[in-house]
């Protein structure tokens, strides 16, 4: 090795290790989110829970769900997967839930459906982690639909006043619902969610203009036993309460909390016909930049818990001011803090275009005059 190359290589390895070290302790919150490409169809689907239309046959299945915390926990006992399609007015979702004992008890709209085994959909159309939607469904086709202006961690309050207007859902069971005397195979779900039901500021999302959404799916599964011929949740003898539910998800959260929208997966809308052989999904480079804002956010919350106020400088959070992005361009991380509030930005190459985050975890795009 030539001597004049040694300092360059040492500098390279130093920068590489520094980039990795700043995420130390937070790695579980930065595993790559999964993605799914939904293809456009011309004719509306008949919602009966059976997904036997030709269009569904072309749509690729997702990967099977894993534990909400990811690989650190065992794989789920039963398989779960989904498909998605869309047309100009609806997002279509179909899910398949393997289940040897299908049961459900809740029958009224907007009851807390995850007290039963359920399937859940989470949608943040503009990806700012605020103003998002959740829909839960059980094997009785009972719906709990809700809206959150912000996550619970940011003092978000759920609104059950929101109803997914003109939502169509259906459930089909391969087995016998609430019959403990036999063994079942699975239950399947179909949904047609109108884009008009997902309005923000009275404007429905338009997949052509906003082709990348943040979404996730969850399956809540309770441990049960058969008592006097009926399904009952298993009771922990140490607490006298039900054992905690299992949370199985499509894109792992890294934490037992679905309300970290920045950890959800990516839904891409495509116009071409579905193909199982090729998916040309490319993650926008802006998503790579946002990682540093989220790291700053998590570190600020930890600093607040320890010190009663937010850090006033990047050095207090052990974060560098300059970061090389995936193009090799230098990006600048900036922080402004007033004790109980903060605002941070990341801007590349000295341009005005960039991204911003605040103490509420809301992501905002900063655009320049030429965009």
């Amino acid at each position: 090795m030539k001597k004049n190359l040694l300092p360059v290589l040492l500098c390279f390895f130093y920068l590489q290790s520094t980039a990795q070290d700043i995420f130390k302790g937070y790695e579980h919150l930065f595993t790559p989110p999964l993605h799914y490409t939904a293809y456009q169809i011309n004719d509306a689907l008949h919602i009966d829970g059976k997904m036997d239309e030709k269009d569904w046959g072309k749509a690729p299945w997702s990967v099977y769900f894993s534990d909400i915390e990811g690989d650190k926990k065992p794989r789920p006992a039963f398989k779960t997967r989904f498909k998605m399609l869309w047309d100009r007015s609806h997002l279509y979702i179909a899910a398949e839930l393997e289940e040897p004992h299908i049961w459900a008890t809740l029958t009224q709209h907007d009851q807390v459906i995850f007290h039963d085994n359920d399937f859940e959909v989470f949608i943040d159309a503009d990806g700012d982690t605020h103003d998002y939607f959740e829909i839960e469904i059980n094997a009785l086709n009972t719906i709990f639909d809700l809206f959150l202006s912000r996550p619970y961690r940011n003092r978000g309050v759920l609104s059950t006043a929101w109803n997914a207007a003109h939502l169509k859902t259906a459930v089909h069971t391969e087995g016998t619902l609430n019959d403990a005397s036999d063994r079942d195979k699975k239950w399947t779900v179909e949904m047609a969610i109108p884009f008009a039901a997902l309005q923000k500021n009275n404007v429905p999302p338009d997949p052509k203009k906003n082709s990348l959404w943040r979404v996730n799916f969850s399956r809540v599964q309770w441990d049960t036993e058969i008592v006097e011929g009926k399904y009952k949740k298993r009771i922990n003898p140490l607490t006298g309460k039900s054992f905690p539910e299992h949370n199985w998800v499509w894109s792992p959260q890294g934490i037992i909390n679905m309300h970290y929208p920045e950890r959800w997966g990516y839904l891409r809308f495509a116009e071409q016909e579905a193909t199982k052989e090729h998916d040309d999904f490319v993650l926008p480079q802006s998503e790579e930049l946002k990682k540093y804002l989220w790291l700053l956010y998590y570190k600020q919350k930890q600093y607040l818990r320890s010190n009663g106020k937010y850090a006033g400088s990047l050095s207090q959070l052990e974060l560098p001011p300059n970061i090389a992005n995936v193009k090799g361009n230098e990006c600048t991380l900036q922080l402004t803090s007033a004790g109980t509030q903060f605002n941070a930005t990341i801007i590349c190459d000295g341009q005005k275009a960039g991204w911003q985050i605040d103490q509420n975890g809301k992501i905002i795009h900063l655009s320049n005059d030429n965009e």
Side-chain angles (χ1 to χ4, degrees):
M1 182 184 296
K2 294 182 179 180
K3 291 183 179 181
N4 60 347
L5 289 180
L6 184 58
V8 175
L9 291 174
L10 289 176
C11 180
F12 171 79
F13 289 122
Y14 171 77
L15 291 174
Q16 287 291 100
S17 63
T18 301
Q20 295 171 358
D21 288 345
I22 64 173
F23 288 92
K24 187 175 182 179
Y26 296 89
E27 295 91 344
H28 61 295
L29 294 174
F30 289 96
T31 54
L34 300 182
H35 68 268
Y36 184 94
T37 298
Y39 297 94
Q40 188 175 19
I41 57 176
N42 296 318
D43 300 319
L45 298 174
H46 176 57
I47 304 302
D48 58 7
K50 297 180 181 180
M51 59 182 114
D52 50 7
E53 290 90 346
K54 182 178 179 180
D55 285 323
W56 277 131
K58 296 179 180 179
W61 282 109
S62 71
V63 298
Y64 287 115
F65 285 20
S66 59
D67 187 87
I68 192 170
E69 293 186 84
D71 293 339
K72 65 186 294 185
K73 292 296 180 68
R75 296 191 65 81
F78 310 124
K79 294 178 179 178
T80 312
R81 58 182 181 172
F82 69 84
K83 297 182 176 188
M84 285 189 280
L85 293 166
W86 67 289
D87 61 22
R88 289 307 308 154
S89 57
H90 291 81
L91 174 64
Y92 297 98
I93 299 172
E96 179 185 77
L97 298 87
E98 180 185 88
E99 176 59 76
H101 295 290
I102 305 172
W103 66 272
T105 64
L106 302 174
T107 59
Q108 295 183 9
H109 179 256
D110 278 350
Q111 286 183 284
V112 183
I113 298 302
F114 67 76
H115 289 161
D116 283 350
N117 290 345
D118 79 349
F119 177 74
E120 303 178 358
V121 180
F122 298 82
I123 298 175
D124 179 13
D126 62 7
D128 68 353
T129 76
H130 284 45
D131 303 314
Y132 61 87
F133 305 90
E134 177 182 350
I135 301 172
E136 303 178 4
I137 186 171
N138 67 3
L140 284 167
N141 196 28
T142 306
I143 297 296
F144 180 28
D145 45 7
L146 57 144
F147 167 84
L148 283 96
S149 60
R150 61 179 68 173
Y152 296 121
R153 67 187 179 199
N154 304 118
R155 299 182 181 179
V157 178
L158 70 86
S159 171
T160 58
W162 174 76
N163 292 317
H166 306 295
L167 169 71
K168 296 179 182 179
T169 65
V171 172
H172 175 71
T173 58
E174 292 193 22
T176 50
L177 179 64
N178 291 329
D179 183 351
S181 65
D182 63 0
R183 189 173 181 86
D184 307 313
K185 184 177 181 181
K186 63 183 178 182
W187 56 292
T188 54
V189 174
E190 257 188 314
M191 292 184 179
I193 305 174
F195 294 130
L198 306 176
Q199 294 187 22
K200 184 171 182 177
N201 299 323
N202 296 318
V203 178
D206 183 346
K208 281 193 173 180
K209 295 180 181 178
N210 187 10
S211 60
L212 196 67
W213 290 12
R214 300 304 299 269
V215 302
N216 212 347
F217 300 89
S218 173
R219 174 180 178 175
V220 171
Q221 186 79 10
W222 297 89
D223 289 329
T224 61
E225 57 187 349
I226 299 173
V227 179
E228 297 180 352
K230 295 183 179 180
Y231 295 118
K232 300 288 184 182
K233 292 180 183 177
R234 288 186 59 210
I235 301 298
N236 185 340
L238 299 178
T239 65
K241 299 179 180 179
S242 302
F243 282 100
E245 75 279 10
H246 301 282
N247 296 279
W248 301 333
V249 306
W250 168 51
S251 192
Q253 295 285 108
I255 185 173
I256 307 177
N257 189 335
M258 285 302 297
H259 294 274
Y260 273 51
E262 71 274 15
R263 294 292 302 141
W264 296 351
Y266 294 93
L267 163 60
R268 181 172 72 98
F269 292 88
E271 295 182 354
Q272 68 267 32
E273 183 174 315
T275 172
K276 297 179 181 179
E277 287 74 31
H278 178 66
D279 182 0
D280 57 356
F281 177 89
V282 176
L283 185 67
Q285 295 174 352
S286 60
E287 297 303 305
E288 184 73 17
L289 289 180
K290 290 178 189 177
K291 287 171 42 178
Y292 295 96
L293 291 180
W294 282 114
L295 178 61
L296 184 148
Y297 173 86
Y298 299 141
K299 283 178 171 281
Q300 278 284 46
K301 292 301 178 180
Q302 181 61 50
Y303 193 93
L304 176 67
R305 288 190 289 269
S306 300
N307 300 278
K309 62 179 180 179
Y310 290 118
S313 67
L314 292 173
S315 61
Q316 289 177 300
L317 300 174
E318 299 181 336
L319 288 174
N322 299 317
I323 296 167
N325 73 5
V326 291
K327 280 187 174 180
N329 300 320
E330 190 171 270
C331 302
T332 301
L333 191 61
Q334 298 177 335
L335 171 65
T336 302
S337 177
T340 59
Q341 297 177 321
F342 75 86
N343 187 289
T345 60
I346 187 165
I347 300 176
C348 296
D349 296 326
Q351 302 298 315
K352 294 180 180 179
W355 295 91
Q356 175 180 288
I357 197 169
D358 63 12
Q359 71 279 352
N360 291 318
K362 186 170 184 176
I363 287 282
I364 298 175
H365 182 222
L366 305 175
S367 59
N368 61 27
D369 297 335
N370 296 321
E371 288 189 320

